[in-house]
């Protein structure tokens, strides 16, 4: 999902780009919102689209599993960079104002995420984890692309193993044991608050410790000249190459060097409990490795599965996100009017995210049959796009974007008043 468009200022040119002619750089940055719009549609594909396990055309929907959430997270990092100055990081009181705004939005997103979880839709909600990541991002606002890219590389390489070692001690899990999710009860007492904090940071479905890998990568991308066609072409082709390399090396490690055999051996007792072979158990449950791979063997960290938060998942998902961002920037610069509907949706991504959970809670009960279908995917997508287009034309900023913007905009009063230029 962060999948939070409201992070970027209007001054960046990312949001609410008018249809009338505007400076070229502003038009080209419309691609960031187009990428967000695609991420929203990918989320709808996962939540209400056809089940890939059904086979046939539904199999193509497997590409959205895990990677849409990663794209949201990378785009949230891009927004943080744009908010804090883009290619030229803000300094002094201007940066302090951004720090305070992020610090204000963080608990608001945590609270909103907990409320959505409390709707009991049966879906995983990432907003609370994003809120924690925004706090973690504050000390990194001063840095440029190279430092942030290095942080992303280190995080992708080390954080999964740090998480593995910690979880193996405090909350070991097998394949069919799902990680805990947050609830309002996790913050009702000091002991519950401690448990909720551990879930947010390490053991939850989108642990902030690992989620920061995507935030770092997005912040690094946001420090680049995203209005440059040359930069965007490099992002597109480089991202495709990185993702392909990630899949290749993971395949070598799992299929040629014995990683999958180690995983199957670790599943022996668990598979026998369910009357299955290890291969059958893995095939049925591999998409449920949300953020916290099993702790039965380190070989789990060799998988490329989306949302598994393994090193290979990070490399592949960041490569895909970079390619999508670069490609959307190139397409939006050339076909601005054609992609306007997607940009309108992406410009109201927080509202699209929250309201689709509300719609699901009103339309269906948890576990109800018939939720996943092509018809529901098309219906959700069409309603969201049409509503976003109408809202932009007649009102402007999305409803939740407007609320979050105004609730966290108080630090602007800390900025010094502009000094008028002297004549002569």
């Amino acid at each position: 999902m962060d999948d939070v468009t409201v992070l970027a200022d209007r001054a960046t040119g990312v949001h609410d780009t008018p249809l009338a002619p505007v400076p070229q750089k502003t038009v080209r940055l419309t691609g960031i919102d187009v990428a967000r719009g695609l991420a929203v549609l990918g989320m709808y594909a996962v939540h209400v689209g056809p089940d890939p396990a059904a086979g046939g055309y539904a199999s193509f929907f497997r590409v959205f599993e895990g990677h849409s959430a990663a794209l949201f997270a990378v785009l949230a990092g891009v927004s943080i960079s744009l908010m804090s100055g883009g290619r030229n990081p803000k300094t002094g009181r201007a940066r302090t104002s951004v720090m305070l705004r992020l610090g204000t939005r963080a608990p608001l997103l945590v609270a909103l995420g907990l409320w959505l979880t409390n709707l009991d839709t049966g879906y995983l909600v990432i907003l609370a984890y994003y809120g924690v990541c925004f706090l973690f991002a504050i000390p990194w606002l001063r840095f440029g692309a190279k430092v942030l890219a290095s942080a992303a590389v280190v995080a992708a390489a080390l954080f999964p193993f740090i998480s593995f070692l910690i979880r193996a001690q405090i909350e070991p899990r097998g394949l069919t044991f799902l990680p805990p999710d947050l609830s309002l009860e996790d913050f009702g007492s000091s002991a519950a608050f401690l448990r909720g904090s551990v879930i947010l940071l390490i053991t939850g479905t989108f642990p902030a410790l690992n989620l920061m890998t995507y935030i770092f990568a997005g912040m690094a991308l946001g420090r680049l000249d995203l209005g440059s066609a040359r930069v965007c072409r490099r992002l597109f082709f480089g991202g495709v190459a990185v993702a392909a390399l990630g899949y290749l090396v993971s395949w070598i490690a799992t299929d040629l060097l014995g990683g999958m055999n180690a995983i199957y051996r670790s599943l022996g007792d668990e598979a026998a409990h369910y009357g299955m072979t290890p291969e059958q158990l893995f095939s049925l449950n591999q998409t449920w490795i949300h953020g916290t791979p099993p702790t039965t063997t380190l070989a789990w960290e060799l998988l490329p599965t989306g949302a598994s938060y393994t090193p290979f998942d990070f490399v592949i998902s960041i490569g895909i996100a970079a390619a999508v961002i670069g490609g959307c920037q190139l397409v939006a610069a050339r076909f601005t009017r054609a992609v306007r509907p997607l940009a309108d949706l992406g410009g109201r991504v927080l509202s699209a995210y929250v309201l689709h959970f509300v719609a699901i809670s009103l339309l269906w009960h948890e576990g109800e049959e018939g939720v996943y279908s092509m018809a529901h995917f098309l219906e959700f997508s069409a309603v969201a796009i049409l509503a976003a287009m109408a809202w932009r034309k007649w009102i402007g900023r999305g409803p939740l974007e407007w609320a979050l913007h105004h609730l966290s905009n108080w630090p602007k009063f800390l900025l010094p008043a502009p000094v008028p230029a002297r004549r002569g």
Side-chain angles (χ1 to χ4, degrees):
M1 280 213 194
D2 53 148
D3 94 30
V4 183
T5 298
V6 71
L7 283 174
D9 289 0
R10 288 179 183 269
T12 65
V14 176
H15 301 295
D16 301 324
T17 307
L19 294 177
V22 290
Q24 178 67 12
K25 189 168 183 178
T26 300
V27 173
R28 297 182 71 154
L29 286 179
T30 301
I32 301 298
D33 274 340
V34 174
R36 289 192 183 95
L38 289 176
V40 171
L41 298 185
M43 175 185 64
Y44 292 168
V46 173
H47 288 178
V48 299
D51 184 1
Y57 70 86
S59 301
F60 293 102
F61 279 70
R62 194 176 297 280
V63 70
F64 298 109
E65 293 182 344
H67 300 307
S68 294
L71 178 58
F72 271 125
V74 172
L75 286 166
V78 172
S79 291
I80 291 174
S81 278
L82 293 176
M83 181 184 185
S84 58
R87 297 174 63 193
N88 302 300
K90 294 179 179 179
T91 60
R93 297 182 70 180
R95 184 169 65 210
T96 300
S97 176
V98 176
M99 294 167 64
L100 293 174
R101 289 169 65 192
L102 285 175
T104 302
R105 294 179 183 195
L108 294 175
L109 290 176
V110 171
L112 186 56
L114 291 174
W115 177 73
L116 289 178
T117 302
N118 202 51
L119 293 179
D120 291 328
T121 59
Y123 292 90
L124 305 176
V125 179
I126 201 172
L127 277 188
Y129 302 92
Y130 273 172
V132 176
C133 287
F134 291 164
L135 290 178
F136 289 167
I138 289 175
W140 298 86
L141 296 179
R142 68 183 67 234
F143 297 111
K146 290 183 179 180
V147 172
L148 291 167
S150 298
V153 170
V154 171
L158 295 183
F159 284 8
F161 296 102
I162 294 173
S163 170
F164 181 94
L165 295 174
I166 295 175
R167 291 184 297 105
Q169 298 299 317
I170 65 175
E171 195 166 289
R173 63 161 292 199
L175 180 58
T176 56
F177 172 75
L178 295 181
D181 204 358
L182 287 170
S183 67
L184 293 174
E185 288 75 17
D186 288 321
F187 299 89
S189 66
S190 57
F193 181 83
L194 178 61
R195 177 180 180 275
S197 299
V198 172
I199 292 175
L200 276 171
L201 296 176
I202 301 172
T203 64
T205 50
F206 303 99
L209 175 67
N210 284 346
L211 192 60
M212 279 303 298
T213 304
Y214 292 132
I215 301 296
F216 284 140
M219 291 179 70
L221 294 178
R223 293 287 187 237
L224 302 177
D225 183 5
L226 295 177
S228 165
R230 181 183 179 186
V231 169
C232 291
R233 282 195 296 268
R234 289 182 174 180
L235 285 179
F236 178 77
F237 291 109
V240 171
V242 166
L245 181 63
Y247 275 118
L248 175 62
V249 177
S250 175
W251 175 76
I252 292 173
T254 54
D255 288 43
L256 298 185
L257 300 182
M260 282 308 305
N261 291 331
I263 289 174
Y264 290 149
R265 286 195 298 270
S266 73
L267 289 174
D269 293 339
E270 200 172 357
H273 175 76
Y274 291 98
M276 301 180 183
T277 66
E279 291 81 359
Q280 289 172 330
L281 186 68
F282 176 82
S283 178
L284 289 174
N285 294 278
Q286 61 175 313
T287 59
W288 288 101
I289 313 175
H290 271 282
T292 55
T295 56
T296 52
T297 173
L298 269 173
W300 288 104
E301 301 296 339
L302 302 176
L303 292 177
T305 309
S308 62
Y309 287 17
T310 66
F312 290 108
D313 175 36
F314 284 138
V315 169
I316 292 166
S317 295
I318 290 172
I320 291 173
V324 170
I325 291 170
C328 287
Q329 285 286 85
L330 293 170
V331 171
R334 191 174 180 87
F335 306 104
T336 306
R337 290 180 180 272
V339 298
R340 170 54 61 191
L342 275 178
D344 288 347
L345 176 60
R348 287 135 199 90
V349 65
L350 180 61
S351 297
Y353 181 85
V354 171
L355 293 177
H356 104 282
F357 278 113
V358 174
I360 288 173
S361 70
L362 295 175
L363 293 173
W364 301 294
H365 300 290
E366 182 177 350
E368 185 175 334
E369 296 292 332
V371 175
Y372 306 107
S373 69
M374 178 62 79
H376 289 155
F377 167 67
L378 295 176
E379 289 164 0
F380 268 70
S381 300
V383 169
I385 290 174
L386 292 174
M389 292 173 64
W391 197 279
R392 181 196 64 83
K393 182 176 181 179
W394 300 108
I395 300 178
R397 196 187 294 266
L400 291 177
E401 285 79 4
W402 179 90
L404 197 58
H405 171 78
H406 285 281
L407 287 172
S408 62
N409 206 35
W410 60 271
K412 71 177 183 179
F413 298 108
L414 298 176
L415 292 173
V419 179
R422 294 183 178 180
R423 294 186 176 183

